[in-house]
Amino acid sequence: MSGYEQTLFMNTGKCLWAVPVILLAFAATLPVQGDDRVTISKSRLEELERKEAELEKLKKEAGKAESERQQLESEQRRLKSEAVELKKAREAAETKAAAAVAAAASVEPSIQHETPAIATLPPLQQNEVVDAMDLMNHYRTDAAAADKRYSAQLIRVRGEAVHFEKPSFVRDYVIYVRTTDSHWRVACRTYPPEKYSALFTAKGGAEIVGMTRDGARSTVAKAGQQVIVEGRCKGIDGQIVKLVGCALISAQ
């Protein structure tokens, strides 16, 4: 073998030996293809499923709570609206009643009535009946002296009923009693008998009607009747002498 052939053989051997090394180095540079599958334990899977179920439950509860909140707000708005309407209705009814009283008073003639001077009267006795016209005239003549005699006293007042008023949201009603002047009134705020579960006015305030728990209705009193009312005198307010905590003793 010549020297050239020996050299070529040696170089070829070196190259063949280097091929595996090069292939290994090249393989090392290639990306590793990983397995996409992830293996978890059964207990972990059950835990995740349980948490997912709890999350869904919380979502439903939150949705229900939001729905209930919206319903509550809607109910509050409805109640507020009804309260406003009730207030308007009550104010309208009170205005109408006052107008009716004023209208009735405007057409009534003055009445001649002799009232004894308050200074000439003996001390007020228990259950003594005071004429409504005398009571009003005493206050019109000398309010201070009338207060001294009547104010805060439990008295009985007799006179002709001219009008009735039933304020809203309370059980008591008002009897207006005639005086000598159509622009002046004695107003008796009166509690109804226990047998009545409700009261209302009729015929434009000319009657007060009671209704029992079984639905039966009856007239308690009506305009034109002579009534005796017992109550505590609260003095005069404008052109009205007021009695409160009253009971209707008789109506004829």
Side-chain angles (χ1 to χ4, degrees), residues 11-182:
N11 290 337
T12 300
K14 291 180 180 179
C15 289
L16 292 174
W17 175 84
V19 168
V21 176
I22 294 171
L23 290 175
L24 288 173
F26 177 74
T29 62
L30 292 176
V32 178
Q33 298 298 323
D35 192 344
D36 291 338
R37 294 176 298 176
V38 178
T39 303
I40 60 175
S41 64
K42 181 179 179 181
S43 60
R44 177 59 176 165
L45 178 60
E46 291 175 346
E47 181 182 0
L48 292 175
E49 291 175 344
R50 185 174 64 255
K51 289 184 177 180
E52 182 179 8
E54 290 176 354
L55 179 59
E56 289 299 321
K57 181 180 178 182
L58 290 174
K59 287 181 179 179
K60 290 180 180 179
E61 291 177 349
K64 182 180 179 181
E66 176 63 18
S67 176
E68 291 176 348
R69 183 188 66 80
Q70 293 178 357
Q71 290 179 358
L72 179 60
E73 290 180 351
S74 176
E75 183 69 10
Q76 288 175 338
R77 288 193 297 268
R78 185 184 67 80
L79 291 175
K80 184 177 180 181
S81 177
E82 288 182 355
V84 171
E85 292 300 321
L86 284 173
K87 182 179 179 182
K88 289 181 179 179
R90 181 181 61 184
E91 291 174 349
E94 291 176 350
T95 300
K96 183 178 179 180
V101 172
S106 64
V107 297
E108 293 176 1
S110 296
I111 298 173
Q112 298 300 318
H113 178 80
E114 293 294 330
T115 296
I118 196 169
T120 65
L121 297 176
L124 195 65
Q125 302 297 313
Q126 185 178 7
N127 296 330
E128 180 179 344
V129 178
V130 180
D131 192 290
M133 296 186 182
D134 290 341
L135 179 65
M136 176 57 74
N137 286 340
H138 286 157
Y139 269 101
R140 291 178 64 187
T141 303
D142 189 343
D147 260 343
K148 187 175 180 180
R149 179 175 178 82
Y150 300 114
S151 183
Q153 297 294 321
L154 186 65
I155 62 175
R156 291 189 173 188
V157 174
R158 178 182 59 233
E160 180 186 347
V162 294
H163 188 75
F164 301 92
E165 179 182 319
K166 176 62 177 68
S168 302
F169 310 112
V170 294
R171 276 184 53 80
D172 50 353
Y173 63 100
V174 182
I175 305 174
Y176 289 94
V177 183
R178 188 186 303 279
T179 66
T180 57
D181 191 314
S182 60

